[in-house]
Amino acid sequence: MSFFEQTGKKAIGTRLRRLSEWITEDAAQIYTLYGVNLQPKWFPVYYVLSGGEAKTITGIAEEIEHSHVSVSKIIREMAKSGLIAFGSDENDARKNLVSLSELGLAINAKIAPQFEDVDNAIGAMMAQSNHDLWKAIEEWEFLLSQKSLLQRVIEQRKARESQAVKIVDYNSTYQQAFRDLNAEWITQYFKMEAADYQALDHPQSYILDKGGYILVALYQDQPVGVCALIKKDHPVFDYELGKMAVSPAAQGKNIGFLLGKAILDKARTLGAKKVFLESNTLLKPAISLYYKLGFEKISGYPSPYERSNIQMVVEL
């Protein structure tokens, strides 16, 4: 069994590099075969300058989608071979322009038959293959431009690790975790307030006995997240989503979303129509999560918290 049969899709970068190396090695010999003084990595820069127009390095970099540093290095290498001429913009002397020198432009005639033969050779290979590699590359480039491989791997990691997360009902054994997880984030950014002490020190009487609910997220059987549904005696809102906290050591596992979704599902079973929350815009990941859960910004209601500068509601 070959290395790539053993590794499978996880070695896509290695396999693409091998394919690129094969083609690049052949390309260098093809240039030599046709007597063309180019290196394969110079080709994009040569091609955009082959029409004779002078351009800035920034313009070239944008056109071929390379970095400015990469294009500058190629320009320097081509200049050492006498293929580049330097100048300045007649309308703006601060802009440095590069173009092909006479020697560089002379490549155009030599390379024309090479282009034709290379196009035909690749076309013949594509005719022999079962898949259109060119279209596949275009599709992959489009997909990666929409969402990078890194982002996709992060999503898969969250999905895998979230399978090990269990959402359970609160009981008194989780009281210390409920307090500690919330106190940790509150004291990191703000200060504990009277309403915090009431809820965190007395969750049974302050939340549960009044018709509220608390959920706990377990990861590897350890409490790493909590969230409360607090019954409100309010003409508009049935419950408040509050005291949501996730341990920094367990973040990145989708726990906040799982807790939020579960607590809103619980609110539905309790007949809630609207759930309210308060937060602070300093907590950007939390605000992003609330929007993801369907909450929308509102204003105009008094708050028991000094730190509150945003209020949100979701209709169930």
Side-chain angles (χ1 to χ4, degrees), residues 132-147:
D132 191 325
L133 178 61
W134 196 254
K135 287 185 178 179
I137 291 172
E138 288 181 349
E139 289 176 345
W140 272 69
E141 287 174 339
F142 171 77
L143 291 172
L144 291 173
S145 71
Q146 301 302 299
K147 186 186 295 183

Side-chain angles (χ1 to χ4, degrees), residues 90-279:
E90 61 182 17
N91 297 317
D92 187 349
R94 295 171 298 177
K95 285 186 178 180
N96 295 318
L97 300 176
V98 295
S99 61
L100 291 180
S101 64
E102 290 187 11
L103 185 61
L105 289 171
I107 291 176
N108 289 349
K110 284 187 177 182
I111 209 170
Q114 176 184 327
F115 281 169
E116 181 179 352
D117 295 345
V118 168
D119 279 345
N120 289 336
I122 293 174
M125 287 180 65
M126 293 175 70
Q128 291 178 302
S129 64
N130 293 323
H131 306 285
D132 191 325
L133 178 61
W134 196 254
K135 287 185 178 179
I137 291 172
E138 288 181 349
E139 289 176 345
W140 272 69
E141 287 174 339
F142 171 77
L143 291 172
L144 291 173
S145 71
Q146 301 302 299
K147 186 186 295 183
S148 72
L149 180 59
L150 173 61
Q151 291 173 300
R152 294 169 189 271
V153 170
I154 289 172
E155 288 179 356
Q156 292 299 320
R157 179 183 178 181
K158 283 185 176 181
R160 174 178 55 80
E161 292 186 338
S162 66
Q163 292 175 2
V165 176
K166 292 188 294 185
I167 307 296
V168 301
D169 293 342
Y170 171 90
N171 63 55
S172 59
T173 62
Y174 298 123
Q175 180 172 351
Q176 192 63 45
F178 180 64
R179 189 188 196 287
D180 291 347
L181 288 168
N182 273 286
E184 183 177 15
W185 75 261
I186 294 171
T187 55
Q188 179 181 355
Y189 296 99
F190 310 102
K191 65 179 181 179
M192 292 279 284
E193 301 181 43
D196 295 315
Y197 288 111
Q198 288 178 322
L200 300 181
D201 290 338
H202 310 286
Q204 183 68 45
S205 59
Y206 187 81
I207 298 173
L208 301 177
D209 291 347
K210 295 179 179 179
Y213 217 80
I214 301 174
L215 292 177
V216 180
L218 303 179
Y219 182 70
Q220 298 178 343
D221 295 324
Q222 295 299 313
V224 294
V226 291
C227 185
L229 193 65
I230 303 169
K231 188 74 172 73
K232 303 297 288 185
D233 183 15
H234 194 279
V236 178
F237 312 116
D238 305 297
Y239 290 89
E240 176 186 352
L241 186 155
K243 298 300 175 276
M244 177 183 277
V246 176
S247 168
Q251 288 175 1
K253 296 177 174 54
N254 220 29
I255 293 173
F257 179 77
L258 294 174
L259 272 172
K261 185 175 182 300
I263 207 75
L264 291 181
D265 287 343
K266 183 63 181 179
R268 290 186 184 92
T269 66
L270 295 173
K273 301 301 181 183
K274 291 184 178 182
V275 175
F276 169 84
L277 67 79
E278 296 186 87
S279 188

Side-chain angles (χ1 to χ4, degrees), residues 265-314:
D265 287 343
K266 183 63 181 179
R268 290 186 184 92
T269 66
L270 295 173
K273 301 301 181 183
K274 291 184 178 182
V275 175
F276 169 84
L277 67 79
E278 296 186 87
S279 188
N280 188 289
T281 50
L282 179 66
L283 308 173
K284 293 182 180 179
I287 301 301
S288 177
L289 170 63
Y290 299 144
Y291 278 118
K292 187 177 179 181
L293 289 168
F295 283 86
E296 297 292 337
K297 185 179 180 299
I298 58 170
S299 61
Y301 295 94
S303 172
Y305 297 103
E306 290 181 17
R307 64 178 177 266
S308 174
N309 71 354
I310 184 172
Q311 298 177 326
M312 307 179 78
V313 68
V314 62

